[in-house]
């Protein structure tokens, strides 16, 4: 007789449904070697910690080493105190990637010193567990440690391995789960997610222990997915919402939401954002809006998001390495998520929040306004930032699109130069029709009168003296923040 919670285990180490990763024996040998530092890396859900615990249970059947993690405040002083004088104790440091750089570097140097000793008797053994590339990161901290440390990558389970796990549990419970291939496909090699899906299937069928007679269990994927999503909700919802809302929340600032929703509709969790944008004309503007700069900055500033999402700004590859997270976003109710994020419905997809129109004499001012808006997570069309994108094309054609339909608002820096020059005049001809719709924010630098722009139009009047550095604070207070405020009110 076995109980469901002991068979398909979602907390702790599974006793009956543990399957060895392909490199388990190599890991066991390095863990057994006295003093040899060991690094175990892999994406979330691949069973890194479980594999280490199983191997250590074989090595230390009566005195399992203690696992330490930065997640536990009480463990941090112990981690900080590990040194050459710690004796022949085995220290397992889980979630190594969460330590600060100084501590990681100190432990890496300690590992190097220990590894270099011919006789390691009496020295501590370090076992480091972390996310993908933690071994590579360690080598970057201490370059000459590579050949002295055992680095083992635990990869997601193959379909055969996941099938073995399902069979082990099913045999113990005396059941047969129909459509096991659907469980294998949905889990994407994630051991924990496989356990959770199987557990949810059993609960939905009222199976809580070994059945007297073999029982065949049919299940409805939609129902099980909803149950698993509910289970995952508290783990992922805060970070997913934080990602969707961006660096600076505005009810109309939803390009991150649109991007993540589009990723959830892909078959693979590694997505080229340039290809995705080109294949989704309906949200192309939103994806292009964030993929060059804003997404990288978001992940740099939002630690909770950076733990779940990875973005290579050079290749434009956006990756979700945790299969359970990918399962969550593929099956979450996106309309409900949109409401919980606080977004308003917006039928039009804009590539930029702001497009700046200016004469060449005011380029330093336009560039400064663009930079400051960018810091506020406002996407801004400033021509020099996008020249490479339009090489070989006609500015006249691009400006027609940008100032008429690709920008949410137009900011026009108006003075005598703007009225006299050919290109600024062409831009005004493009956006003048938007003035009655309150979609143009004029910044008057002098008293020049412009046809099509009413004298009583609510505008920004700014006395620009030609030196941005001298007036930077005033520009931010009187111009930039007012533009951002207008966006916030939309």
């Amino acid at each position: 007789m076995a109980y469901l919670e002991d068979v398909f285990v979602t907390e702790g180490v599974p006793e009956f449904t543990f399957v060895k990763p392909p490199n388990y024996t190599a890991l066991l040998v390095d863990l057994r070697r006295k003093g040899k530092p060991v690094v175990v890396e892999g994406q979330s859900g691949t069973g890194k910690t479980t594999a280490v615990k199983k191997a250590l249970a074989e090595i230390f059947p009566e005195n399992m080493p203690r696992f330490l993690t930065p997640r536990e405040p009480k463990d941090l002083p112990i981690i900080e105190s590990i040194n050459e004088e710690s004796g022949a104790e085995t220290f397992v440091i889980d979630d190594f990637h969460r330590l600060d750089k100084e501590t990681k570097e100190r432990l890496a140097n300690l590992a190097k010193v220990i590894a270099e000793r011919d006789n390691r008797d009496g020295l501590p053994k370090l076992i480091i567990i972390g996310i993908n590339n933690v071994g590579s990161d360690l080598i970057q901290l201490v370059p000459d440690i590579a050949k002295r440390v055992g680095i083992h990558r635990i990869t997601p389970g193959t379909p055969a391995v996941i099938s073995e796990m399902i069979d082990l549990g099913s045999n113990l419970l005396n059941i047969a789960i129909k459509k096991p291939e659907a469980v294998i496909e949905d889990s994407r090699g994630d051991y924990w997610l496989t356990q959770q899906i199987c557990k949810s299937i059993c609960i939905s069928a009222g199976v809580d222990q070994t059945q007297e007679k073999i029982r065949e269990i049919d299940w409805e994927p939609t129902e099980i997915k909803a149950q698993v999503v509910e289970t995952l909700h508290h783990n992922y919802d805060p970070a997913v919402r934080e990602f969707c809302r961006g660096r600076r929340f505005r009810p109309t600032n939803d390009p991150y939401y649109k991007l993540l929703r589009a990723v959830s509709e892909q078959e693979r969790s590694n997505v080229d954002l340039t290809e995705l944008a080109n294949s989704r004309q309906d949200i192309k503007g939103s994806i292009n809006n964030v993929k060059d700069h804003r997404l990288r900055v978001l992940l740099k500033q939002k630690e909770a998001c950076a733990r779940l999402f990875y973005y290579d700004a050079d290749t434009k590859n956006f990756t979700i390495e945790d299969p359970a997270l990918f399962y969550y976003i593929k099956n979450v109710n996106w309309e409900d998520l949109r409401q919980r994020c606080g977004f308003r419905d917006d039928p039009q997809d804009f590539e930029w929040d702001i497009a700046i129109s200016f004469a060449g004499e005011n380029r330093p001012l336009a560039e400064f306004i663009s930079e400051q808006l960018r810091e506020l997570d406002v996407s801004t069309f400033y021509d020099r930032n996008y020249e490479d994108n339009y090489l070989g094309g006609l500015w006249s054609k691009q400006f027609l699109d940008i100032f008429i339909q690709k920008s949410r608002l137009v900011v026009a820096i108006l003075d005598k130069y703007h009225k006299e020059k050919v290109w600024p005049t062409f831009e005004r001809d493009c956006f003048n029709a938007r003035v009655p719709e309150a979609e143009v924010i004029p910044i008057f630098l002098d008293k020049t009168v412009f046809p099509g722009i009413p004298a009583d139009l609510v505008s920004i009047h700014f006395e620009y003296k030609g030196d941005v550095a001298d007036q930077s604070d005033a520009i931010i207070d009187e111009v930039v923040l007012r533009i951002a405020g207008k966006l916030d009110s939309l």
Side-chain angles (χ1 to χ4, degrees):
M1 175 72 68
Y3 292 112
L4 173 64
E5 62 271 23
D6 297 326
V7 175
F8 290 120
V9 178
T10 54
E11 302 91 17
V13 179
E15 179 181 354
F16 304 113
T17 51
F18 171 73
V19 289
K20 294 179 180 179
N23 56 343
Y24 180 82
T25 302
L27 172 64
L28 177 67
V29 169
D30 271 353
L31 290 175
R32 200 165 51 201
R33 174 72 170 164
K34 281 188 178 181
K36 183 175 183 178
V38 178
V39 174
V40 184
E41 63 180 20
Q43 67 189 37
S44 298
T46 53
K48 302 181 297 294
T49 303
T50 296
V52 171
K53 285 183 176 179
K54 282 289 187 179
L56 289 177
E58 290 188 41
I59 301 168
F60 304 99
E62 296 180 357
N63 189 23
M64 171 77 85
R66 179 179 174 184
F67 277 63
L68 305 170
T69 171
R71 293 175 185 267
E72 292 289 344
K74 67 179 185 302
D75 288 349
L76 287 171
I78 302 173
I79 295 172
E80 292 289 344
S81 67
I82 301 171
N83 58 50
E84 289 182 66
E85 307 301 322
S86 296
E89 188 172 349
T90 297
F91 294 96
V92 185
I93 304 171
D94 207 349
D95 301 307
F96 182 81
H97 51 281
R98 292 178 177 271
L99 292 170
D100 60 76
K101 183 178 179 181
E102 182 180 347
T103 303
K104 286 191 284 190
E105 189 166 358
R106 185 183 66 79
L107 290 171
N109 279 306
L110 176 60
K112 173 178 177 291
V113 170
I114 295 170
E116 287 176 339
R117 300 283 179 87
D118 291 331
N119 183 1
R120 297 171 183 151
D121 287 339
L123 291 174
K125 182 177 179 70
L126 295 182
I127 300 170
I128 290 168
I129 306 174
I131 58 173
N132 277 340
N133 301 319
V134 70
S136 301
D137 293 343
L138 202 68
I139 291 168
Q140 294 299 317
L141 291 171
V142 183
D144 53 352
I145 199 177
K147 295 180 180 179
R148 300 179 175 90
V149 173
I151 299 178
H152 300 269
R153 181 178 176 84
I154 306 298
T155 57
T158 63
V161 167
I162 298 301
S163 179
E164 179 187 351
M165 178 186 289
I166 297 170
D167 289 343
L168 286 171
S170 298
N171 292 338
L172 278 167
L173 293 171
N174 200 25
I175 61 173
I177 295 176
K178 283 190 172 183
K179 303 186 288 285
E181 67 281 357
V183 177
I184 294 169
E185 181 180 353
D186 284 347
S187 70
R188 295 175 179 266
D190 186 285
Y191 298 107
W192 180 90
L193 187 54
T194 302
Q195 302 268 7
Q196 182 63 63
I197 294 172
C198 290
K199 184 178 179 180
S200 297
I201 290 171
C202 291
I203 289 173
S204 69
V207 172
D208 70 327
Q209 59 187 353
T210 302
Q211 304 296 286
E212 291 184 8
K213 296 180 180 180
I214 188 166
R215 181 175 172 187
E216 199 171 64
I217 299 180
D218 201 358
W219 56 286
E220 175 52 52
T222 302
E223 177 187 333
I224 297 303
K225 285 175 180 178
Q227 291 178 21
V228 176
V229 165
E230 182 63 27
T231 301
L232 297 172
H233 179 82
H234 296 295
N235 285 344
Y236 296 128
D237 182 68
V240 167
R241 279 192 296 116
E242 189 171 8
F243 180 93
C244 291
R245 288 165 64 94
R247 284 190 290 144
R248 184 172 183 268
F249 172 72
R250 298 194 309 275
T252 55
N253 184 33
D254 63 354
Y256 304 98
Y257 167 88
K258 290 177 178 175
L259 183 153
L260 193 59
R261 184 170 186 174
V263 170
S264 77
E265 295 164 0
Q266 308 306 301
E267 289 303 312
R268 294 166 54 244
S269 60
N270 187 332
V271 181
D272 183 317
L273 293 190
T274 300
E275 291 182 2
L276 182 61
N278 291 334
S279 69
R280 289 290 304 270
Q281 294 298 313
D282 57 324
I283 58 169
K284 181 177 182 178
S286 287
I287 297 174
N288 287 336
N289 190 310
V290 299
K291 72 181 176 65
D292 288 324
H293 172 76
R294 297 169 71 192
L295 182 55
R296 175 175 56 82
V297 176
L298 172 71
L299 296 182
K300 184 177 180 181
Q301 293 185 353
K302 301 280 189 179
E303 183 183 352
C305 298
R307 288 199 300 268
L308 299 181
F309 307 104
Y310 174 75
Y311 181 57
D312 187 323
D314 295 325
T315 64
K316 310 305 180 194
N317 275 331
F318 180 80
T319 305
I320 298 172
E321 294 188 331
D322 182 351
L325 172 60
F326 194 55
Y327 182 97
Y328 178 78
I329 69 166
K330 285 188 77 68
N331 297 292
V332 75
N333 184 322
W334 280 94
E335 289 306 318
D336 176 65
L337 176 60
R338 182 178 179 84
Q339 290 184 4
R340 288 188 289 108
C341 285
F343 292 124
R344 299 190 195 126
D345 289 334
D346 193 345
Q348 189 168 353
D349 185 64
F350 295 100
E351 191 152 345
W352 293 282
D353 294 315
I354 298 292
I356 299 183
S357 174
F358 61 94
E361 287 77 3
N362 296 313
R363 180 171 290 281
L365 176 60
E367 183 172 9
F368 181 76
I369 292 172
S370 171
E371 290 172 350
Q372 295 304 309
L373 287 172
R374 205 178 191 187
E375 290 300 311
L376 295 175
D377 200 28
V378 174
S379 61
T380 307
F381 176 80
Y382 167 69
D383 57 2
R384 281 196 177 162
N385 289 341
Y386 296 93
E387 283 179 343
D388 290 352
N389 296 16
Y390 299 120
L391 286 174
L394 299 174
W395 270 129
S396 56
K397 170 66 170 62
Q398 302 304 331
F399 282 175
L400 274 170
D401 290 341
I402 292 164
F403 287 104
I404 292 177
Q405 61 186 20
K406 287 188 175 181
S407 56
R408 189 179 299 277
L409 296 174
V410 174
V411 169
I413 302 176
L414 303 176
D415 64 357
K416 63 179 182 179
Y417 300 114
H418 201 286
K419 187 172 184 178
E420 294 169 357
K421 296 216 161 185
V422 174
W423 274 112
T425 298
F426 174 75
E427 292 169 13
R428 280 199 316 280
D429 290 341
C430 293
F431 66 69
N432 262 349
R434 303 182 66 180
V435 172
E437 305 300 322
E439 295 174 354
V440 177
I441 302 175
I443 303 173
F444 285 103
L445 304 183
D446 60 23
K447 298 185 181 298
T448 303
V449 176
F450 290 83
I453 300 180
D456 62 345
L457 186 71
V458 178
S459 309
I460 296 173
H461 296 269
F462 185 75
E463 187 179 350
Y464 179 51
K465 298 176 183 178
D467 191 328
V468 169
D470 283 350
Q471 293 183 273
S472 60
D473 289 344
I475 296 168
I476 292 171
D477 292 341
E478 299 176 34
V479 177
V480 174
L481 294 181
R482 292 186 67 186
I483 295 171
K486 171 66 174 179
L487 283 168
D488 289 343
S489 69
L490 295 178

